[in-house]
Every structure is written in structure tokens, then in C-alpha cells.
Amino acid sequence: MRWMRFLPFAALFASLAAVTAPATAAETAKPALDLGPEGVWINTCDIDRMTDTRMCRMMTYRLFEDGKESGFVALSVIPAGTDYHLFVTTSQGMIEDCALRVDRQPRIETHIATLNMCMFPNFVSGRTVEQFRNGTSVLVRVNLARGGKRDVDFALNGFGRSFEEMQRNLH
């Protein structure tokens, strides 16, 4: 039942995808998921009604518009067993690979990528969390399968506080 852990992420992705899609009359009547202000690290925790366990995630997102294209790139940290995984989600389609670079440190790459998403596993044990806690910004590069890339900067102020709050809420 591991896949159930990602159901909140799927709902989050669906709501972010709606940000870039034109609204129909029926959609404007539906309440939208409040993602909080752009560029701010937020965390949410809910009790899963099926398993009675606490499910948490933290995220931030950035919107972009560059003439002919508009969309979003989001970072999400989700608990997975005894560790956490970092997900990069975008509205731009099939992803080939992704890379992160905190401040001027060496980049971290992943080839765990698929439609609109890539994953950096072992966020805590791989020590990436320490770079995020001590850094000021992270540059995220998304390389698209159709060619092209998207570079987006995220501020890391508030990351440490939000991550610690999420950890407290899990226990």
C-alpha cells in the first residue's frame, strides 16, 4: 500500500495543473485548494481516514510566464518510511532529468523522472536536507524530454522552520 502515501501529492499536482488551465463555468464554482503564497514553504498534515496515520508534506511553488508558455514548478518534501523524498513537479510534460544546486555548491542530479515529475530520493540520509537548511536559494533545472530546459530559483528562507514543524507533526 505504499502508493497510498502519494495520494495527497496527486491531489496537489491536480490542483497545480488547474492553475495553468483556463477555468470553465463548472470549475469556477468548485473551491480551489489553497496552496498559499507563491515562493513560501508551507506544510500540511492530515489524518488518513483509511489508515488512521498522519500524512504530511511541505511544498513551495513558482509560477512562470515567458511569452508563449506559462505554468508552474513546485518542490514538495514528502515523508517516505524513515526518510523523505524531494519531488519536483512541473506543468510542462515529460521530464528527462532534473538537477538541484544550493547556492554555489555542486549540483545534485536525478534521472528518476516521468510525466511532469522527478524525484530526489533519500532527502535526509543523502544530506540534501542540510544544504537546504543552511542555504539561501536553490536553483532547480528541469530537462524536458522534448528538448529544452527550465531553470527556476527558489528561496530557502523558511525551509528549516517548516521542515522542523512537519517533523514534529509526524511524531
Side-chain angles (χ1 to χ4, degrees), residues 126-137:
R127 316 231 6 115
T128 307
V129 69
E130 292 307 318
Q131 289 185 17
F132 273 58
R133 280 185 173 144
N134 299 321
T136 57
S137 67

Side-chain angles (χ1 to χ4, degrees), residues 22-34:
T24 65
E27 288 174 336
T28 55
K30 294 180 189 175
L33 180 63
D34 182 16

Side-chain angles (χ1 to χ4, degrees), residues 95-98 109-114 118-120:
I95 297 175
E96 187 73 31
D97 55 48
C98 294
E109 297 181 41
T110 186
H111 293 281
I112 304 171
T114 187
C118 60
M119 180 183 78
F120 293 85

